[in-house]
Amino acid sequence: MNKNTQIIDFQKMYKLKTPASRYSELSVSISEKGMLTISSSLFNKMENLITKL
């Protein structure tokens, strides 16, 4: 066996849950000037719901 080769036992590995990305959050924010901002995730979800109507 090549000394640079390792055998990986996938049965001994643990699956880690990745933290939620802030870009996947459904959010709305309003600036001090009154500007409304909708997250892209929320926008896409709303767009999908509208197209189904």
Side-chain angles (χ1 to χ4, degrees), residues 18-41:
T18 58
S21 168
R22 70 181 187 103
Y23 298 109
S24 64
E25 291 180 5
L26 304 178
S27 63
V28 174
S29 61
I30 302 173
S31 71
E32 291 180 11
K33 293 182 179 182
M35 179 169 248
L36 178 73
T37 305
I38 300 173
S39 70
S40 60
S41 297

